[in-house]
Amino acid sequence: MVEQLSPLAAAFRPGSHGNFVDGVGVTLSEMAPGSIVQVAAWPGEEKKLIAAISSITGLKLADGAGAGAVSERHTVFGFAPGKFLVTDTAEGLASTLASAVTPATGSVTDLSHGRTAIRVAGQKSEWVLAKLFAVDFSLVAFPQGSGISTAHHDIFAQIQRSSPDRFDLYVFRSFARSFWKMLCHASDEVGYEVR
Amino acid sequence: MLITCPYCGPRDVSEFAYQGDGNRNRPDPASTDLVAWNAYVYDRLNPAGAHNEIWQHAGGCRAHLAVVRDTLTHEILSVRFAREKGAPAHGRRKSGAKA
Ligand SMILES: [Zn+2]
C-alpha cells in the first residue's frame, strides 16, 4: 500500500488558532478516507444502484434528493439526480462497487485521489460554513446524513452533514490547500483547532 | 435572485449558468432550410415579462433546468428539469422541508 500524502501539506498546522481564548468554535481535520467513489445510475436504474450501494455499505438510503447515511466505515449521499458519493475508510471500494454495478445499471468513478475530504465540527460549524456558501445549513433544511452540491466561487464542493454539529466537505484535491487556508481564515473569528 | 433547483432547493443565481432562450426549436440537423436555421440562430422574442429559459445548475447538481423568469422583476415563475417536458413545476426539495 502506498503511503497517503496530504495535499494540505504545511498549511495543515495542528493546534489551536485564532480567537480561541473563550473556547474553540470549530475543529478542522482532514478525513483522508481510503476510498472516495462516485456512482451514477442511468435514467430509470436508480433503485438498482441504490440497492447495490446499500448491499456493499450496509447503509439504508431514503428516497429523496440529497438523502444520505453515515456509519463508522462508510458515508453515502446523493449529490445530483441519480448520482451518489460513497466513501470507505479502507481502500478498494471502487472495485467492489464496479463488481456490483453492471454497465447496464450505471457507472463507477474512483475519485479517491481526486478529492480531499475536510471535516468541520463544532457548535460554530454552521456559522463558519454559512460565510463560504450561499446555502441554508440549518438542521431543518439540511438534515443529518443528507448531502448537497454547491460551490465557493469556482471551487466545487460536496458537503454531507455527518452529525448535527459536523459537516464533511469534499473538494478538488488540487484546490484543497487554498480552500483549507480560506476555511482557516473563516474560522479565525470563532477560534479553531486543527487536528 | 434565487432559483429553486428541483433537486437542490433554493440556490443563489451565482451557482447557475445561463444556457439561452428556451423557446428555440432546433431544425433537423440534416435540414438545409435557411429560413428555419436563421430563425433558430437569430430570432428571439425578447419579451418584457415571462420568458422561457434554459439554465444549468453548474455549481450544484449540474442538471439543465427549464426556467420561466420574469424579465421585468427577475421573479422565477417555475423551474423543472429540462429533460422532463411537461413535468410539474418545482420538485421535491423545498426550503425547510426535506426527507
Ligand atoms: Zn441543482
Side-chain angles (χ1 to χ4, degrees):
Chain A
M1 179 177 136
V2 180
E3 192 187 335
Q4 280 193 348
L5 284 180
S6 169
L8 306 180
F12 187 89
R13 298 180 300 134
S16 298
H17 304 276
N19 186 26
F20 65 91
V21 280
D22 297 323
V24 163
V26 289
T27 303
L28 310 179
S29 47
E30 189 187 354
M31 296 164 68
S35 305
I36 304 173
V37 182
Q38 175 175 316
V39 285
W42 304 118
E45 301 293 318
E46 293 86 353
K47 288 217 156 63
K48 265 190 219 159
L49 185 78
I50 289 172
I53 296 170
S54 294
S55 74
I56 286 167
T57 61
L59 290 171
K60 272 214 165 68
L61 273 183
D63 190 20
V70 176
S71 68
E72 280 289 301
R73 179 172 172 184
H74 292 103
T75 69
V76 189
F77 61 93
F79 66 88
K83 295 180 183 170
F84 300 85
L85 199 75
V86 191
T87 75
D88 188 342
T89 53
E91 293 186 74
L93 176 65
S95 46
T96 316
L97 278 166
S99 62
V101 179
T102 65
T105 303
S107 64
V108 175
T109 311
D110 191 352
L111 299 174
S112 305
H113 295 191
R115 298 286 183 274
T116 296
I118 293 168
R119 178 164 276 176
V120 181
Q123 53 160 342
K124 286 289 184 185
S125 41
E126 277 184 27
W127 171 267
V128 168
L129 291 175
K131 295 182 187 187
L132 306 178
F133 303 100
V135 169
D136 187 350
F137 285 100
S138 70
L139 196 53
V140 187
F142 197 156
Q144 183 173 341
S146 70
I148 60 162
S149 302
T150 184
H152 181 267
H153 290 256
D154 280 336
I155 303 186
F156 190 68
Q158 290 163 338
I159 306 176
Q160 183 178 33
R161 182 179 222 129
S162 53
S163 81
D165 271 349
R166 196 175 74 195
F167 296 88
D168 302 338
L169 283 65
Y170 298 86
V171 295
F172 297 136
R173 182 183 169 96
S174 52
F175 283 110
R177 195 182 306 162
S178 76
F179 182 81
W180 172 266
K181 286 180 179 172
M182 186 180 56
L183 187 60
C184 291
H185 287 310
S187 309
D188 218 54
E189 169 214 14
V190 300
Y192 65 99
E193 184 187 346
V194 173
R195 67 164 176 234
Chain B
M1 195 168 111
L2 289 175
I3 297 176
T4 300
C5 171
Y7 188 87
C8 304
R11 295 296 181 87
D12 188 80
V13 67
S14 64
E15 290 192 1
F16 296 85
Y18 185 53
Q19 302 280 311
D21 189 333
N23 297 303
R24 292 177 300 162
N25 279 314
R26 195 173 71 151
D28 182 335
S31 160
T32 54
D33 182 343
L34 287 180
V35 175
W37 279 107
N38 188 78
Y40 171 67
V41 175
Y42 295 110
D43 287 0
R44 297 292 181 268
L45 293 170
N46 194 24
H51 186 224
N52 290 323
E53 303 179 334
I54 302 295
W55 290 74
Q56 187 191 11
H57 194 186
C61 67
R62 302 196 62 78
H64 287 85
L65 308 174
V67 175
V68 180
R69 179 180 65 98
D70 190 310
T71 58
L72 291 173
T73 62
H74 291 312
E75 186 188 356
I76 303 295
L77 302 170
S78 73
V79 187
R80 61 170 170 80
F81 289 121
R83 64 170 181 258
E84 286 176 356
K85 287 222 166 78
H90 298 294
R92 293 179 290 183
R93 192 166 188 167
K94 296 244 164 63
S95 173
K98 191 185 72 66

